[in-house]
Amino acid sequence: QTQEDEYCESPVHNCTKADDCDIGNELLQKKECVNGHCMRRQWCPAEDATQPTTETHYLEYEQVQLWFTSYLHYHRFMLDVSTADESEAVHYPHRRANTYRLRDLVRMTNAEPEVVQENGAVFIVNALFDCELDNNDCELKVEAATVDSNFYYHIHNHVYFEDGVRKRDSYRMFGIRLVAFTTGFGKKTSLAQIVLQISSAISLLSFAEMVAEFTLTSVIAERTHYYSQKVTEYNEADNKGTNS
């Protein structure tokens, strides 16, 4: 593109007659309609994906592999779990995989690969740890989901001079952004918790006996029969007379 005080067709400003292009500012846009487009002061030729001046390059993400390094802190157990010390790539779908093909992550999100390649996307990737901390053993899996099905970012405009003419190469990229998280689930035996649960159970058993006793002797309709079976009256004087 060049910008030498020139006007050219603007694909985003359509018109059917010259009056459609009249914005009251001839320095910005002429009152002129050419090929259904207004003549506008800008970098020329204007950006148009359908014209030969625009080149499209697709990322072959089939060949892209991502190695994830995770760090996790269990604050209750005061323990850290990390994969930063792993020196070899373990490819998905093997157990404890740390390396994933981008195409596999796209497949996990149920997104259409052609649409992602054309428009980009934002994915959230979560590394899930399930750890048996007593045995220092963890299972790791990665899950992915779509946050946005369109991700565009403008890298930069490269402006330079060629034969005294100022020119510009404009780079626009549609890519894939991964937002990574780590989530951990851990289990560890606690002697203090075991003692607490047992003591609580014993207390609850005693309380349950009191509740059952009160219900049977004071609440239910057959409480009189229960009381008669539970309590046996004993006359000590009669007993002494019999023994003599």
Side-chain angles (χ1 to χ4, degrees):
Q1 294 174 303
T2 61
Q3 191 182 55
E4 296 296 313
D5 193 24
E6 55 190 311
Y7 295 81
C8 56
E9 299 177 32
S10 175
V12 296
H13 295 84
N14 300 319
C15 60
T16 56
K17 56 184 184 298
D19 290 340
D20 294 339
C21 301
D22 186 7
I23 62 172
N25 186 351
E26 284 284 335
L27 293 177
L28 176 60
Q29 182 171 292
K30 291 184 176 181
K31 186 180 176 181
E32 183 178 349
C33 183
V34 178
N35 297 326
H37 301 122
C38 296
M39 298 296 290
R40 192 173 179 89
R41 184 194 298 271
Q42 58 188 328
W43 286 94
C44 296
E47 294 183 29
D48 189 346
T50 63
Q51 298 299 318
T53 52
T54 298
E55 296 181 2
T56 303
H57 302 273
Y58 290 103
L59 171 66
E60 296 181 1
Y61 69 83
E62 291 276 341
Q63 308 301 323
V64 176
Q65 297 184 3
L66 301 175
W67 185 333
F68 291 97
T69 300
S70 304
Y71 172 81
L72 182 66
H73 175 68
Y74 291 97
H75 66 279
R76 286 195 174 184
F77 304 137
M78 299 302 294
L79 289 173
D80 297 326
V81 177
S82 175
T83 61
D85 58 346
E86 295 180 349
S87 57
E88 295 183 1
V90 180
H91 294 273
Y92 175 81
H94 291 91
R95 183 172 178 264
R96 294 180 180 175
N98 57 21
T99 303
Y100 290 75
R101 289 184 175 88
L102 187 55
R103 68 179 183 185
D104 291 328
L105 296 177
V106 173
R107 178 182 52 80
M108 291 179 187
T109 65
N110 294 322
E112 293 293 336
E114 296 78 10
V115 176
V116 172
Q117 190 176 43
E118 186 70 28
N119 300 323
V122 179
F123 297 144
I124 181 172
V125 179
N126 195 2
L128 298 174
F129 284 83
D130 187 5
C131 297
E132 292 284 351
L133 298 176
D134 289 326
N135 303 325
N136 294 324
D137 182 52
C138 292
E139 292 294 332
L140 171 63
K141 68 176 182 178
V142 170
E143 295 181 349
T146 302
V147 176
D148 192 351
S149 58
N150 192 329
F151 179 59
Y152 156 79
Y153 60 95
H154 190 180
I155 295 184
H156 69 282
N157 290 320
H158 176 54
V159 180
Y160 57 98
F161 287 87
E162 185 175 290
D163 298 329
V165 178
R166 185 170 62 166
K167 296 185 177 182
R168 182 185 78 165
D169 292 334
S170 182
Y171 296 88
R172 301 178 183 272
M173 298 191 67
F174 295 82
I176 298 175
R177 170 171 286 181
L178 299 179
V179 183
F181 292 89
T182 300
T183 303
F185 302 92
K187 292 174 287 186
K188 186 177 182 181
T189 304
S190 172
L191 181 60
Q193 290 294 324
I194 293 175
V195 173
L196 177 62
Q197 294 297 324
I198 293 176
S199 61
S200 298
I202 294 174
S203 300
L204 288 174
L205 287 174
S206 301
F207 180 73
E209 181 181 354
M210 295 172 58
V211 172
E213 178 73 16
F214 175 78
T215 302
L216 291 172
T217 58
S218 305
V219 177
I220 65 175
E222 298 295 327
R223 58 184 177 273
T224 303
H225 296 88
Y226 173 79
Y227 186 82
S228 65
Q229 296 297 320
K230 174 179 173 61
V231 179
T232 302
E233 295 185 2
Y234 177 76
N235 192 324
E236 187 176 357
D238 293 341
N239 189 42
K240 288 182 178 180
T242 302
N243 291 335
S244 62

